[in-house]
Amino acid sequence: MKKLFAKCIFLFMLLFAGSLYAQTIDTQSIKVGIFPEDDFTTIRIQCFSGNWRVEFGTASATREYLAEGEDCTIMLVPKGLVARFSDGKDFNVGYDKITLKGGDLLNLEIPDHQPMLLQGSLTVGHADAFINLVNTVTVHQHIVSSISKIGITNEPEALRAICTMARTRLAWLMANPQHKESPYDICDASHCMPFLGCGYNRELVDLLTSMTDGQIIRHAGKPIMPRYHNTCGGKISSARDVYGADEPYHQAKADLLDGKGSENCFHSPNFHWSIELQKVDVLDFLSMAFAGGADRMYNNWEPKKVDAGGRILEVTLRGKMPKSVSGTEFHKELAEFFGPNGIKSMKFTMEFLRRTIIFRGMGYGDGTGLCLYGADGLAKKSQKYLDIVKFYYPGTEVK
Ligand SMILES: [Zn+2]
Ligand SMILES: [Zn+2]
């Protein structure tokens, strides 16, 4: 009996130690701005599961509950935020914020957007004449959401590497906030880390996020700012060349295992791409994206600096007053003008025809850091998770 008691105590202590140990970064919360760039004044929130507590205003003096199947519409009017519930209750005093918490799943509808499933808590506030939305989730929930979206692979070793990359990026962003004036820590776009709520979550990603719990890629003991992209097209570029950034773990290298065989991302649908554009559309693009006044009309452009992998690092805009633009800025404008599937990377050549230009390119994204299709390829070549991390972030350790 005594022995059994001692055993129970021992097991209890183990469990207790285990729960203490489980307090990693993955359980910390992070505030995500939902469509922070968009202007809207009405949203609709539907309770999918659980009982959501709705608090009105900062003092939270007024409370209401949103039960399963019920919904509420929140609008911004001149006196502040007002809400109407599906059971007919009106809250029309005008509040500075409305917070929903305590339930399991919400469905959020914003005009002109796909409905979004959310966990955690949701704060509806406003700045100027528009609503802003902040979804507070755990780091674990965030990794599962973003990697379910961008992690193009089913290879467990590749996904473990990609989940660790995402966690490291979140750790870096929490330590180095990029949106200091905002009510959120990070935005929901690739500027910080893509976030789509939990509607597209994959179970395998959830499992592998748990398996890598707390693991972070470090250089000189500190979390790195890990860069990543869809497909490098065979050559990874350095952060120094592409961004002028001093990040020794983002080096230029061939995306090849042991320097031979086929490229790790060769199977990517974006390894080779081509698109034929009308010359007049390219001219329109130059004037829309860069021109300002008669002195700054550009009628042509050309690559100015290209790295060893063939990536255009800098371009010259030709006109009355020539201008230099970084490759990344030029590419951002191209993607905005021609769409994300137009010119997929700055690694391309051009063939000039009478009315059109044929762009023949390789890869998708900026080509720095981890190549997502390359990670998938390395896993298919039997590389383990830590080998994949070290391949794309040389000189780092995972701890
Ligand atoms: Zn951001
Ligand atoms: Zn690659």
Side-chain angles (χ1 to χ4, degrees):
M1 188 68 190
K2 223 175 181 180
K3 245 185 177 173
L4 187 71
F5 183 69
K7 220 174 180 180
C8 282
I9 293 277
F10 179 69
L11 270 177
F12 179 75
M13 280 170 67
L14 260 186
L15 273 174
F16 183 66
S19 68
L20 274 184
Y21 185 71
Q23 295 294 316
T24 66
I25 183 178
D26 292 44
T27 59
Q28 287 180 29
S29 51
I30 188 161
K31 292 183 183 144
V32 191
I34 305 295
F35 301 115
E37 301 293 319
D38 289 16
D39 299 336
F40 49 88
T41 54
T42 304
I43 58 167
R44 184 166 166 266
I45 296 168
Q46 192 183 0
C47 171
F48 263 26
S49 66
N51 213 9
W52 288 82
R53 196 168 73 243
V54 189
E55 297 176 358
F56 296 86
T58 317
S60 309
T62 314
R63 280 190 178 186
E64 179 60 31
Y65 283 89
L66 196 63
E68 260 173 53
E70 289 181 356
D71 65 77
C72 75
T73 301
I74 297 176
M75 266 180 297
L76 181 61
V77 296
K79 62 184 167 184
L81 295 162
V82 296
R84 162 163 285 194
F85 282 62
S86 50
D87 62 7
K89 281 194 194 112
D90 265 332
F91 296 84
N92 50 18
V93 176
Y95 301 94
D96 56 346
K97 68 172 181 177
I98 299 175
T99 308
L100 295 98
K101 54 175 98 164
D104 297 322
L105 264 187
L106 279 181
N107 185 46
L108 169 68
E109 288 173 36
I110 304 173
D112 302 323
H113 287 287
Q114 294 279 328
M116 199 174 183
L117 278 183
L118 297 177
Q119 299 166 302
S121 72
L122 180 68
T123 301
V124 186
H126 65 91
D128 303 327
F130 300 106
I131 286 180
N132 56 43
L133 295 170
V134 178
N135 183 202
T136 305
V137 292
T138 64
V139 165
H140 175 96
Q141 288 169 330
H142 195 289
I143 298 171
V144 179
S145 168
S146 64
I147 301 311
S148 294
K149 178 174 189 241
I150 65 161
I152 44 80
T153 170
N154 286 318
E155 295 286 344
E157 295 298 314
L159 277 174
R160 283 172 80 181
I162 297 166
C163 290
T164 305
M165 177 279 288
R167 179 181 303 102
T168 306
R169 210 169 148 104
L170 293 179
W172 189 90
L173 287 166
M174 286 160 90
N176 303 274
Q178 303 293 299
H179 299 278
K180 277 192 182 138
E181 304 297 311
S182 307
Y184 49 86
D185 302 320
I186 57 170
C187 69
D188 63 351
S190 53
H191 170 262
C192 287
M193 198 75 203
F195 179 79
L196 261 194
C198 56
Y200 302 90
N201 281 4
R202 291 165 57 192
E203 246 169 78
L204 180 61
V205 175
D206 198 343
L207 183 72
L208 294 166
T209 304
S210 298
M211 279 175 71
T212 55
D213 187 14
Q215 296 184 20
I216 284 178
I217 309 165
R218 295 170 192 274
H219 182 261
K222 286 194 186 139
I224 65 168
M225 204 300 277
R227 300 181 186 273
Y228 71 94
H229 55 276
N230 177 285
T231 304
C232 72
K235 296 266 179 25
I236 307 277
S237 294
S238 75
R240 178 176 296 284
D241 281 345
V242 175
Y243 293 101
D246 183 24
E247 295 161 356
Y249 41 85
H250 285 135
Q251 291 171 13
K253 70 189 284 186
D255 197 4
L256 283 174
L257 186 58
D258 302 325
K260 54 181 192 287
S262 63
E263 289 85 353
N264 298 323
C265 55
F266 186 68
H267 59 305
S268 164
N270 302 309
F271 191 81
H272 287 289
W273 53 263
S274 72
I275 185 169
E276 186 168 2
L277 297 177
Q278 298 286 328
K279 281 180 178 169
V280 3
D281 289 341
V282 175
L283 273 179
D284 274 357
F285 157 69
L286 288 175
S287 56
M288 293 280 282
F290 298 103
D295 277 353
R296 292 203 282 127
M297 292 287 286
Y298 304 110
N299 48 32
N300 208 347
W301 73 276
E302 68 209 20
K304 185 179 175 191
K305 201 170 149 198
V306 182
D307 77 1
R311 193 170 304 279
I312 300 166
L313 303 173
E314 207 176 333
V315 306
T316 303
L317 305 177
R318 290 276 171 218
K320 220 170 168 184
M321 310 242 293
K323 184 187 173 181
S324 279
V325 178
S326 75
T328 45
E329 192 192 338
F330 195 71
H331 188 234
K332 190 175 147 254
E333 296 292 345
L334 278 171
E336 249 166 54
F337 193 87
F338 294 106
N341 290 319
I343 293 182
K344 293 178 176 175
S345 72
M346 284 305 281
K347 195 163 135 68
F348 58 77
T349 57
M350 290 176 285
E351 184 184 340
F352 293 86
L353 304 178
R354 214 160 74 86
R355 288 168 189 275
T356 61
I357 308 170
I358 302 176
F359 293 78
R360 288 192 181 85
M362 295 174 90
Y364 193 175
D366 69 2
T368 61
L370 184 141
C371 172
L372 291 167
Y373 272 95
D376 177 67
L378 281 171
K380 288 184 164 77
K381 293 173 186 172
S382 308
Q383 296 297 293
K384 297 292 178 210
Y385 138 63
L386 289 176
D387 301 326
I388 298 172
V389 171
K390 286 185 179 166
F391 183 88
Y392 292 112
Y393 306 112
T396 60
E397 53 177 354
V398 174
K399 275 211 290 217

